Amino acid sequence: MHTLYVVATPIGNLEDVTLRALRVLQEVGIIAAEDTRTTRKLLRRHNIRTPLVSYYEGNRFLRIPFLLEHLQTGDVALVSEAGMPGIRDPGYELVKAAVQAGIPVVTIPGPSAVTSALAVSGLPADQFLFLGFLPSRRKERLQALQRVSRPPYTLVVFEAPHRLRASLEDMAAALGSDRQLAACRELTKLYEEIFRGTVSEAQAHFVLPRGEFTLVIAGAEEKNGSEEVTLQDAVEGLRHLKEAGASAREAVAQVMAQYGLPRRQVYQMWVALGG
């Protein structure tokens, strides 16, 4: 039986590719590429002439049957636009389909923006939560950040330049303006930048953001666990959700789950805020 190879490719610098990855890309029958233009540059750089087929978010369900059929007669390499396929990209669906069909799936490890950013952030990387891209709408984005505001785990987030300032504003509201972070911009590329500081300092620094960002954000510090602190945090959480346009039902349910408080008490807090 033939094999689906999940191949990591450079996240910027074309030299960041393993010898094994180049060999596999040379030997497979076809390469399923999220962005054929980006992959073609890599193949041209290393004189690889393996045929490409596009496989991206918009056509993945049409392409999967074709690729599974090809795997009956030859090997396939799956590559994303950058980094490791299957990590916040449509490669997951193809891997899932191959596994369900009993087709061997082999990883060819290599570059990843997640692990690269963690490694240079200066923040703990022994336990972390990867959130992918935050929701584009403020209400959902605030809710997502509220849900991860209390665990002590380091957070990793992808963000586009046109949404960076809005996301930083919501991080200040949900996580605290003094929360430490590392903003890794254009990793491995010519204009790579690693900014380390607080959320508020990042807001002041990135006035006109450019390039792709991977944000590494410190987890919550351990508190003394006093009821007073918990209630204050809950009220602040309700206030932020109210400002984001959440309904009473949504806000109360989320704060109940997050802080372990009874519904009646949280609803009274909501009413006190003018809800």
Side-chain angles (χ1 to χ4, degrees):
M1 187 174 292
H2 294 279
T3 301
L4 173 64
Y5 291 96
V6 181
V7 183
T9 53
I11 59 176
N13 192 317
L14 292 180
E15 294 180 0
D16 294 334
V17 62
T18 68
L19 295 174
R20 185 183 178 203
L22 294 176
R23 177 180 59 77
V24 168
L25 293 176
Q26 177 75 58
E27 293 177 353
V28 296
I30 58 173
I31 300 170
E34 184 180 16
D35 187 326
T36 55
R37 294 168 301 178
T38 301
T39 304
R40 193 167 283 114
K41 291 178 183 177
L42 176 67
L43 300 185
R44 191 179 301 121
R45 172 74 174 268
H46 297 283
N47 196 31
I48 296 172
R49 296 182 173 83
T50 305
L52 289 175
V53 60
S54 66
Y55 173 82
Y56 59 93
E57 186 73 24
N59 74 352
R60 66 190 191 282
F61 292 120
L62 294 175
R63 282 285 192 246
I64 286 174
F66 166 79
L67 293 169
L68 292 180
E69 182 179 354
H70 184 88
L71 281 160
Q72 301 305 311
T73 58
D75 295 333
V76 173
L78 170 67
V79 300
S80 67
E81 182 178 359
M84 177 60 74
I87 309 300
R88 190 50 178 78
D89 78 7
Y92 156 75
E93 299 286 354
L94 178 58
V95 171
K96 177 182 175 182
V99 169
Q100 291 176 340
I103 296 169
V105 179
V106 173
T107 180
I108 309 298
S112 166
V114 175
T115 54
S116 297
L118 276 166
V120 299
S121 68
L123 294 170
D126 51 342
Q127 296 183 85
F128 66 92
L129 296 176
F130 173 58
L131 305 180
F133 283 95
L134 293 172
S136 58
R137 295 178 59 186
R138 184 168 192 250
K139 176 181 172 181
E140 286 81 5
R141 188 166 58 237
L142 265 174
Q143 290 174 338
L145 290 167
Q146 287 280 356
R147 284 194 293 270
V148 295
S149 63
R150 298 187 74 195
Y153 313 121
T154 300
L155 308 174
V156 183
V157 173
F158 290 158
E159 196 50 275
H162 65 279
R163 287 207 309 260
L164 178 69
R165 289 190 57 79
S167 289
L168 288 173
E169 181 181 348
D170 291 340
M171 287 176 192
L175 308 179
S177 59
D178 60 346
R179 186 76 70 99
Q180 291 289 321
L181 64 70
C184 305
R185 185 176 72 87
E186 296 288 88
L187 281 171
T188 79
K189 299 178 183 177
L190 180 62
Y191 296 105
E192 175 181 290
E193 176 185 9
I194 312 296
F195 172 87
R196 301 176 183 87
T198 64
V199 172
S200 60
E201 289 169 343
Q203 288 178 284
H205 180 77
F206 293 107
V207 178
L208 295 172
R210 294 182 179 179
E212 299 300 318
F213 287 82
T214 303
L215 305 177
V216 183
I217 308 145
E221 294 183 1
E222 296 290 342
K223 295 185 177 180
N224 58 21
S226 71
E227 183 179 359
E228 181 180 357
V229 172
T230 299
L231 293 178
Q232 290 174 356
D233 290 344
V235 170
E236 285 302 306
L238 283 172
R239 180 177 290 111
H240 296 320
L241 290 169
K242 186 175 187 297
E243 292 173 354
S247 68
R249 182 177 180 180
E250 293 170 332
V252 169
Q254 183 169 323
V255 170
M256 279 175 54
Q258 186 173 352
Y259 295 96
L261 297 172
R263 180 183 297 276
R264 182 184 181 88
Q265 185 176 16
V266 177
Y267 184 73
Q268 288 173 343
M269 293 177 186
W270 175 267
V271 172
L273 290 172

